[in-house]
């Protein structure tokens, strides 16, 4: 026996995560870089249990279901020549120009409400239904969207300084965890950490020392080389140079 409601929710969840990852890739934002918000337009809003999974999977602070993504997306229109040509051939150039200059969200809302859009500036007789149009959904500046006819996912790609810093911290933690493995330390070994790097990296390491130490099981994190370091390595993190040192306590 299969709970069809659960099955549908899981399918929608998977679709949202896939579209969200596609948005991240399109915006060239790494998975370890937190994103402030995402917006989801879907026939059925998922409850908090699923929203929490979406936030974790996509590393976003807020995932919100909404009926209106017009602030983040718009639509562009071109005539479907196969159908528009035979009906309005003599107006074709004017139709192309008029469609290109439309307010995309308003035109799409009219199309959904009325079943067609009109172009009175070209000719009063023109009524273009969905089959007469090639419709492309596009992202507004600072947003990236992906989706299909059932689900639209929009990521807010405007990164605050706070989000960027958190991304750096996650990258540093990841590099230190990699070094622990490469140095063949035991999972429960406590370590000491040293670092040297650019001014930006050093500022972040100092400001977020407690977050870093708790995640990598470090008893201390200090600026400068570690005496008797068991392992050290050069890294480039988001374009910034850093040299990390570790040793077991």
């Amino acid at each position: 026996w299969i709970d069809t409601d659960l099955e549908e929710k899981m399918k929608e969840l998977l679709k949202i995560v896939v579209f969200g990852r596609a948005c991240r890739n399109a915006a060239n934002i790494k998975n370890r870089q937190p994103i402030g918000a995402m917006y989801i337009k879907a026939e059925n809003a998922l409850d908090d249990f699923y929203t929490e999974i979406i936030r974790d999977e996509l590393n976003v602070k807020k995932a919100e279901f909404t009926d209106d993504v017009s602030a983040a997306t718009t639509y562009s229109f071109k005539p479907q020549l196969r159908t528009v040509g035979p009906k309005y051939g003599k107006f074709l150039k004017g139709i192309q120009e008029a469609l290109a200059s439309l307010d995309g969200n308003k035109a799409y809302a009219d199309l959904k409400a009325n079943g067609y859009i009109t172009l009175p500036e070209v000719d009063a007789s023109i009524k273009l239904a969905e089959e007469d149009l090639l419709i492309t959904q596009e992202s507004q500046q600072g947003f990236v969207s992906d989706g299909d006819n059932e689900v639209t996912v929009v990521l807010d790609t405007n990164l605050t300084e706070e989000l960027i810093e958190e991304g750096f911290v996650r990258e540093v933690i990841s590099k230190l965890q990699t070094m622990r493995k490469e140095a063949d330390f035991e999972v429960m070994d406590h370590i000491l950490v040293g670092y040297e790097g650019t001014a930006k990296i050093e500022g972040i390491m100092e400001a977020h020392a407690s977050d870093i130490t708790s995640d990598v099981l470090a008893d201390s994190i200090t600026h400068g080389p570690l005496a008797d370091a068991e392992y050290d390595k050069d890294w480039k993190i988001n374009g910034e140079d850093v040299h990390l040192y570790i040793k077991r306590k």
Side-chain angles (χ1 to χ4, degrees):
W1 176 76
I2 298 173
D3 184 335
T4 51
D5 184 49
L6 177 63
E7 192 175 22
E8 285 303 311
K9 285 179 178 176
M10 291 306 292
K11 275 169 66 177
E12 186 172 315
L13 172 70
L14 180 60
K15 190 181 275 195
I16 290 165
V17 170
V18 168
F19 288 146
R21 285 186 180 142
C23 289
R24 265 190 176 274
N25 291 340
N28 199 24
I29 297 176
K30 294 178 184 175
N31 288 333
R32 276 193 285 272
Q33 172 59 60
I35 285 175
M38 69 180 288
Y39 304 96
I40 307 151
K41 185 178 180 181
E43 288 182 23
N44 300 303
L46 297 175
D47 61 33
D48 288 349
F49 173 78
Y50 296 96
T51 316
E52 181 82 22
I53 295 171
I54 292 165
R55 285 202 304 269
D56 286 348
E57 285 291 321
L58 295 172
N59 191 13
V60 296
K61 300 292 185 184
K62 179 179 80 170
E64 183 181 303
F65 281 84
T66 177
D67 292 331
D68 181 14
V69 290
S70 61
T73 62
T74 188
Y75 297 87
S76 65
F77 299 85
K78 290 180 182 176
Q80 173 62 266
L81 299 179
R82 181 170 39 81
T83 63
V84 173
K87 286 192 278 190
Y88 305 114
K90 66 179 179 177
F91 300 119
L92 190 55
K93 190 170 189 310
I95 288 172
Q96 286 173 321
E97 290 171 356
L99 288 175
S101 64
L102 287 176
D103 176 331
N105 284 316
K106 183 180 182 307
Y108 190 76
D110 289 345
L111 178 64
K112 288 300 180 186
N114 305 321
Y116 58 85
I117 57 176
T118 59
L119 299 172
E121 67 272 36
V122 180
D123 192 80
S125 67
I126 295 171
K127 286 185 177 181
L128 301 178
E130 203 155 338
E131 63 267 21
D132 299 320
L133 298 161
L134 299 170
I135 305 170
T136 307
Q137 189 178 54
E138 299 171 346
S139 304
Q140 304 272 35
Q141 185 71 28
F143 297 90
V144 175
S145 64
D146 201 353
D148 59 17
N149 291 334
E150 296 169 347
V151 172
T152 301
V153 170
V154 179
L155 288 192
D156 181 346
T157 56
N158 299 288
L159 299 177
T160 63
E161 195 56 43
E162 190 179 2
L163 288 169
I164 291 167
E165 277 204 15
E166 192 177 332
F168 269 102
V169 171
R170 292 191 181 206
E171 288 288 350
V172 168
I173 288 167
S174 171
K175 302 302 184 256
L176 287 168
Q177 299 287 32
T178 298
M179 288 175 68
R180 285 183 63 107
K181 287 177 189 167
E182 290 176 352
D184 210 22
F185 290 179
E186 295 294 330
V187 175
M188 297 310 293
D189 281 342
H190 281 242
I191 63 170
L192 306 178
V193 174
Y195 65 89
E196 296 173 290
T198 63
K200 184 175 184 70
I201 280 280
E202 290 184 354
I204 287 167
M205 299 286 279
E206 189 177 333
H208 299 277
S210 61
D211 295 327
I212 295 167
T213 51
S214 64
D215 270 42
V216 301
L217 217 59
D219 287 3
S220 72
I221 180 166
T222 53
H223 179 232
L226 276 186
D228 306 322
E230 293 178 70
Y231 191 50
D232 64 289
K233 194 168 181 177
D234 278 317
W235 297 97
K236 193 175 277 290
I237 298 177
N238 298 341
E240 302 287 333
D241 292 316
V242 61
H243 195 94
L244 297 174
Y245 304 81
I246 58 172
K247 71 175 183 181
R248 280 169 288 205
K249 187 157 187 280

